[in-house]
Amino acid sequence: MSEESRDFIRKMVASDVLAGVNGGSVVTRFPPEPNGFLHIGHAKAICLDFGVAEEFGGTCNLRFDDTNPTTEDERYARAIEEDIRWLGFDWNGPSRYASDYFERLYGHAVQLIKDGLAYVDSSSEAEIREYRGTVTKPGRPSPHRDRPVEESLALFGRMRSGEFEDGTYVLRARIDMAAPNMKMRDPLLYRIRHATHHRTGDEWCIYPMYDWAHPLSDAIEGITHSLCTLEFLDNRTLYDWVVDNTRPHVESGELGAWQPRPHQTESARLNLDYTVMSKRKLAELVSEDRVDGWDDPRMPTLAGLRRRGVRPEAIRRFCDLIGVAKADNRVDIGTLEHAIRDDLNRTAPRVMCVLRPLRVEIENYPEGKTEELEAPYFPSDVGLQGSRTVPFSRVLLIERTDFEQDPPKGFYRLAPGREVRLRYAYLITCNDVVRDSETGEVVELRCTYDPETRGGSTPDGRNVRGTIHWVSCEESLPCEVRLYDRLFFEPNPEEDADFHEHLNPTSLVIVPEARVEPSVAEDAPGTHYQFERLGYFVRDSDTGDEGRPVYNRTVELKDPWARRLQDDLRLTEQLIVKVEKADREEAPAGEDTGRQARDELRARRPELATRFERYMSELGLPEEDADLLSGDVAVADLFEGALVVHDSPRGVANWIVNELLRELKDREIESLPFGGEEIGRLVALVEDGTISGRTAKDVFARLVREGGDPREIVRAEGVEQISDPAALRAIVEGAIDGHPEQAARYRAGQSGLLGFFVGQVMRETGGRANPEVLQRLVREKLG
RNA sequence: UGGCCCGUGGUGUAACCGGCAACACACUUGGCUCUGGACCAAGAGAUUCCUGGUUCGAACCCAGGCGGGCCAACCA
């Protein structure tokens, strides 16, 4: 992973390591629930979790999040382990299980109750839902919210010992029923479930919820970076609450003293074109027999991909290609296919297989003769060695689609009277076409071969454009080939209520009577090939009729010829997308909610309303600025404080609105180590020309960090503005001489490069150059 | 209707603390070739969601808007 194009997560981890957070150690975890098979979306997470650990010299745990006994099973856990190993990753130590921590989790819960932060609720499920409120309506406290600690403790103990039925009691955290974040409205921590757990059996009848088990498991395992997907964003507040309100050592420990203290970071999950990714929908495809199990080659599961013939290297490469970010995405299936082809192109030996055979008799080739022709496994550009021989005889089989009675324009395969090359063999010419007397179907081609062209070369140097694959009729092996295509024909099948409607009925086409060259006979299942000119295939573990080998098509070769037909369609699609894009936007201004809030505040506090008016009438500020400045007492005070030392309403307003408001997004104005006076001083320095606007931003940043007098900072740093052309001239010349290519482009009319040169000099001078003077100089020099 | 997250070529991502909008896939054309593959070369494709503002200079900072997503399981 290159330094400059790292994703935001790796940047964050790198900066943590650099800052020595947790002594610079990195511990991640991959936490699947063992209730289904891993799919390519999980592969993205795996590559992230294990990849980050690997790249920063850390470790990654495998932890099964097995807190819901009714859906989980050991056999899924084993399959998940197999898939992770197959991808090429190994976890630190043994597989871990949230269920290993049930006793400790219980202890932490007891402590939480003692700390007054949790209570046992005997409301019904419906009541709890009712009391929780909605996204727009705050919730109301449960009648049991203030149950005495002793009572909750006793009840919780009885929940554990199995005295109560499912659904009668739950343990809840006591947080805030009116929180705008729904996750914080007294979330459930434990529920009663009289069910046999796949690992703990009947030892427990209460089970922790995800939001309780997950942060604690992370903390217990010493996870430093807990990476997950975007839909857990709201859970992070609760995650932090749990970590901060529990003690590493129950009873004696200090609150929130976990070391390392785990932090959750979210990134977007993978969405892929033409498939579904939700576990529920995948399970549905399996249970409804739309596919042949979790490892059906059409499934986006790792088991399916593997059976399809995709190698783990391709999947890891794909994960590299798509990157990691926070924007919702839908990745083009072509990107996956590219990764697969790229991998197989470099590794899969080439052999010949004919899918839909057409008989070819070479009339001038001796009957009964067979010669073994040398055929390399790889083309020279791949660089791998190895070859086998293929038998050539009088009767051959070629691909039916490689012959056309009336060849269309641009077709350069076989046609009556035309010559093509049989790959690795001879040039043949088609002389005659034999048809079925009743159906008129072409059943055989009668050809002649040129004995001088053995191995495919042309001694006379004639150029033959077409080369087709073939097998010997006699020696080739019958085999079954399964052609897989995308499962859905809609790019986003999940968009509509019923994704079944978009199922592609021809996602599997079975070719029962294909013929493959004999060299592959003894190869093991799982062997990858390129069937020349057709695509990449893998030998399946199934066998077909009469013990025939079965081959799965992994992916087709790129085929511009075949694509010609679809081009018109494709073009229309793109046009439609463009039109849609042009249609949206340009919406009229709606209501200004921030403005509304400030107006309401001013209505309640007349002194702010007065200031608002005064800022406009007396100070001549535009309404928008006046509104912002008078929407908060502290901001208004700071503004006026600045005016006392520097009476430039417009300048000061700009600085407060544009720079200060940014800082106020995630901190309180009171916590700033400076006040209005400093802002006034800073603006004064800019306006009297002492420092450039650029420098002022640096000074401001410093002010935010540590406070101080701007005049002092400028003096100490020696960052006064350079306005003397004589002082700048040499630097400008240096910048121009140092970038002759850009200078030439500028002179050629690329005027946007002016900023580039200004930037160069700014960098050189630490932002001290007077931009106007500088710009004039650059323009002069570049003529 | 509340809170939070996110908007950059067709797609996925980059772009240091404001200074040449970059890379990969896909696409087009040409070259090479015993695979209509691979490879090589060239090319096209972006009003950085919109409107204002700040700045010599904005994808990036400020304000507002628009659009998309997530959250109201005793699932994870």
Side-chain angles (χ1 to χ4, degrees):
Chain A
M1 186 93 9
S2 67
E3 193 67 29
E4 59 280 0
S5 72
R6 283 204 280 211
D7 55 76
F8 79 101
I9 288 185
R10 278 174 246 254
K11 277 181 195 143
M12 172 196 68
V13 175
S15 106
D16 284 351
V17 169
L18 201 67
V21 178
N22 300 315
S25 74
V26 174
V27 182
T28 61
R29 103 271 90 113
F30 175 64
E33 183 185 13
N35 69 345
F37 284 74
L38 260 26
H39 54 65
I40 185 139
H42 293 111
K44 179 179 180 180
I46 290 170
C47 289
L48 221 213
D49 291 331
F50 286 90
V52 162
E54 224 169 77
E55 288 155 37
F56 293 94
T59 54
C60 180
N61 290 355
L62 169 60
R63 178 174 71 237
F64 292 103
D65 232 326
D66 56 345
T67 56
N68 184 1
T70 56
T71 58
E72 297 155 4
D73 196 286
E74 274 296 274
R75 96 192 151 90
Y76 290 122
R78 298 289 83 76
I80 287 169
E81 288 173 342
E82 185 191 339
D83 285 344
I84 297 172
R85 285 211 186 84
W86 177 72
L87 269 181
F89 293 107
D90 201 3
W91 48 95
N92 178 38
S95 298
R96 292 151 214 262
Y97 293 82
S99 56
D100 290 344
Y101 313 134
F102 279 175
E103 191 62 52
R104 292 178 70 174
L105 263 29
Y106 179 83
H108 286 292
V110 167
Q111 186 58 43
L112 201 66
I113 298 171
K114 288 182 184 166
D115 289 336
L117 294 173
Y119 61 97
V120 170
D121 195 348
S122 28
S123 305
S124 71
E125 197 172 339
E127 284 164 343
I128 288 177
R129 190 168 29 248
E130 161 83 26
Y131 276 74
R132 183 152 37 216
T134 68
V135 287
T136 51
K137 278 210 320 275
R140 307 192 311 277
S142 152
H144 312 104
R145 193 167 199 261
D146 292 316
R147 196 192 290 278
V149 167
E150 288 313 317
E151 207 177 305
S152 279
L153 234 30
L155 248 16
F156 190 46
R158 294 171 63 195
M159 281 167 65
R160 175 183 184 170
S161 59
E163 288 185 40
F164 307 125
E165 307 256 303
D166 287 9
T168 49
Y169 292 92
V170 289
L171 183 72
R172 302 178 70 175
R174 188 205 313 274
I175 306 181
D176 178 7
M177 287 308 291
N181 179 350
M182 298 294 294
K183 297 284 180 202
M184 297 300 274
R185 318 246 260 231
D186 287 13
L188 271 58
L189 267 23
Y190 275 89
R191 76 288 213 188
I192 300 173
R193 264 285 215 269
H194 290 273
T196 303
H197 185 277
H198 60 102
R199 297 191 79 241
T200 58
D202 296 319
E203 191 187 336
W204 293 87
C205 61
I206 57 172
Y207 291 93
M209 303 286 289
Y210 167 86
D211 283 309
W212 179 246
H214 200 88
L216 277 173
S217 302
D218 281 351
I220 288 168
E221 292 181 10
I223 303 299
T224 58
H225 300 269
S226 185
L227 311 178
C228 65
T229 45
L230 245 25
E231 63 270 29
F232 292 98
L233 242 162
D234 288 346
N235 301 61
R236 185 169 72 213
T237 318
L238 180 50
Y239 182 102
D240 288 334
W241 186 92
V242 169
V243 172
D244 290 337
N245 287 290
T246 50
R247 313 151 191 267
H249 305 288
V250 179
E251 307 275 351
S252 63
E254 185 190 333
L255 231 43
W258 295 98
Q259 196 45 251
R261 198 275 192 201
H263 285 277
Q264 173 181 307
T265 308
E266 313 81 13
S267 60
R269 68 185 319 146
L270 168 71
N271 294 294
L272 243 196
D273 265 356
Y274 300 101
T275 188
V276 294
M277 211 69 94
S278 98
K279 220 178 250 186
R280 205 203 82 227
K281 295 199 175 84
L282 293 176
E284 227 169 284
L285 291 172
V286 173
S287 64
E288 293 169 354
D289 284 330
R290 309 276 182 167
V291 295
D292 187 22
W294 284 96
D295 69 342
D296 185 290
R298 290 165 291 183
M299 291 282 272
T301 51
L302 295 184
L305 259 7
R306 177 166 57 224
R307 190 150 178 212
R308 174 88 170 240
V310 175
R311 304 196 325 140
E313 289 83 350
I315 293 177
R316 292 177 64 160
R317 172 79 186 125
F318 169 71
C319 291
D320 262 2
L321 285 174
I322 60 175
V324 176
K326 287 174 84 166
D328 292 323
N329 58 75
R330 171 152 242 106
V331 175
D332 187 346
I333 190 82
T335 306
L336 209 212
E337 291 175 349
H338 168 259
I340 297 170
R341 285 192 192 103
D342 196 42
D343 170 54
L344 260 10
N345 175 46
R346 285 184 299 227
T347 53
R350 274 63 172 174
V351 296
M352 292 193 286
C353 176
V354 174
L355 257 31
R356 297 165 186 87
L358 174 62
R359 204 178 137 93
V360 170
E361 185 155 352
I362 314 289
E363 295 176 300
N364 57 342
Y365 195 85
E367 266 180 78
K369 176 180 173 182
T370 295
E371 46 183 328
E372 293 287 337
L373 299 169
E374 178 88 4
Y377 276 129
F378 298 95
S380 58
D381 53 80
V382 169
L384 294 178
Q385 301 302 310
S387 67
R388 81 290 185 191
T389 59
V390 283
F392 185 90
S393 49
R394 183 179 163 100
V395 182
L396 306 173
L397 266 12
I398 67 164
E399 205 69 64
R400 195 159 276 276
T401 51
D402 282 340
F403 172 78
E404 281 284 351
Q405 178 72 44
D406 301 302
K409 199 166 182 294
F411 182 88
Y412 49 79
R413 282 109 99 146
L414 203 56
R418 286 211 197 171
E419 182 176 49
V420 295
R421 175 182 292 109
L422 293 179
R423 179 128 239 232
Y424 308 124
Y426 295 96
L427 267 50
I428 60 167
T429 303
C430 176
N431 300 322
D432 209 358
V433 179
V434 182
R435 291 172 181 278
D436 185 287
S437 55
E438 280 169 30
T439 65
E441 189 196 3
V442 176
V443 292
E444 186 182 330
L445 266 24
R446 307 201 62 92
C447 302
T448 49
Y449 85 116
D450 177 354
E452 300 301 308
T453 58
R454 190 175 200 271
S457 57
T458 52
D460 61 353
R462 70 180 184 275
N463 197 24
V464 177
R465 186 73 201 267
T467 300
I468 63 176
H469 59 280
W470 57 276
V471 292
S472 158
C473 183
E474 193 65 30
E475 277 95 347
S476 62
L477 273 20
C479 63
E480 177 178 320
V481 176
R482 297 176 183 167
L483 304 177
Y484 296 100
D485 196 3
R486 51 188 63 157
L487 244 186
F488 297 90
F489 34 54
E490 275 295 311
N492 183 4
E494 290 177 283
E495 207 167 34
D496 298 321
D498 188 12
F499 66 98
H500 295 94
E501 288 174 20
H502 306 304
L503 240 15
N504 175 3
T506 56
S507 57
L508 168 59
V509 173
I510 295 179
V511 182
E513 300 282 351
R515 309 279 289 203
V516 65
E517 63 170 71
S519 71
V520 300
E522 304 304 321
D523 290 343
T527 307
H528 302 268
Y529 310 94
Q530 183 192 107
F531 288 170
E532 296 221 30
R533 304 209 305 132
L534 295 177
Y536 295 98
F537 292 74
V538 68
R539 183 155 179 169
D540 197 74
S541 47
D542 268 3
T543 49
D545 291 347
E546 298 154 27
R548 291 176 187 184
V550 170
Y551 298 96
N552 296 328
R553 183 173 70 195
T554 310
V555 64
E556 288 176 277
L557 251 30
K558 274 176 83 174
D559 188 354
W561 171 250
R563 209 180 37 227
R564 260 191 209 186
L565 308 163
Q566 303 169 10
D567 271 4
D568 291 344
L569 189 74
R570 195 182 305 266
L571 221 61
T572 337
E573 271 173 23
Q574 284 190 4
L575 280 173
I576 291 168
V577 170
K578 279 224 164 117
V579 168
E580 275 171 3
K581 208 167 176 177
D583 270 354
R584 68 182 158 106
E585 314 312 348
E586 206 70 35
E591 277 166 56
D592 180 337
T593 51
R595 172 66 191 261
Q596 233 168 30
R598 289 188 295 273
D599 279 341
E600 276 162 31
L601 181 70
R602 278 189 290 269
R604 284 200 308 279
R605 309 194 52 166
E607 82 275 17
L608 280 177
T610 313
R611 284 164 143 180
F612 179 44
E613 286 304 323
R614 190 160 55 79
Y615 291 170
M616 286 189 289
S617 58
E618 281 178 32
L619 303 179
L621 293 181
E623 184 178 337
E624 197 178 78
D625 288 359
D627 163 42
L628 256 14
L629 292 169
S630 64
D632 184 298
V633 178
V635 171
D637 287 349
L638 189 132
F639 172 56
E640 290 173 25
L643 290 186
V644 172
V645 296
H646 182 63
D647 188 24
S648 169
R650 193 64 199 263
V652 170
N654 279 343
W655 269 85
I656 292 178
V657 166
N658 290 302
E659 302 298 322
L660 189 71
L661 252 36
R662 170 181 60 234
E663 299 306 322
L664 262 28
K665 276 182 170 171
D666 42 33
R667 65 192 286 187
E668 293 297 318
I669 191 165
E670 289 77 18
S671 76
L672 291 170
F674 62 89
E677 197 178 331
E678 285 75 18
I679 291 286
R681 294 250 152 76
L682 179 65
V683 177
L685 288 170
V686 179
E687 293 189 349
D688 69 15
T690 306
I691 58 174
S692 69
R694 166 73 188 248
T695 304
K697 301 215 171 164
D698 295 340
V699 175
F700 179 77
R702 175 132 175 214
L703 225 43
V704 170
R705 277 200 312 275
E706 52 207 52
D709 183 337
R711 292 171 303 189
E712 277 306 315
I713 295 175
V714 169
R715 198 171 311 148
E717 303 266 307
V719 288
E720 290 86 354
Q721 178 160 239
I722 309 171
S723 300
D724 178 10
L728 289 174
R729 194 160 282 132
I731 306 172
V732 169
E733 280 163 6
I736 291 172
D737 293 346
H739 300 88
E741 188 227 334
Q742 281 85 352
R745 265 157 57 204
Y746 178 87
R747 291 197 177 97
Q750 196 175 336
S751 54
L753 248 34
L754 179 65
F756 168 74
F757 287 107
V758 172
Q760 292 300 315
V761 176
M762 280 296 184
R763 189 166 304 168
E764 194 73 20
T765 57
R768 292 170 59 207
N770 178 319
E772 278 123 44
V773 177
L774 171 55
Q775 218 156 62
R776 207 186 63 231
L777 281 173
V778 172
R779 255 195 276 260
E780 266 171 30
K781 292 285 165 199
L782 285 171

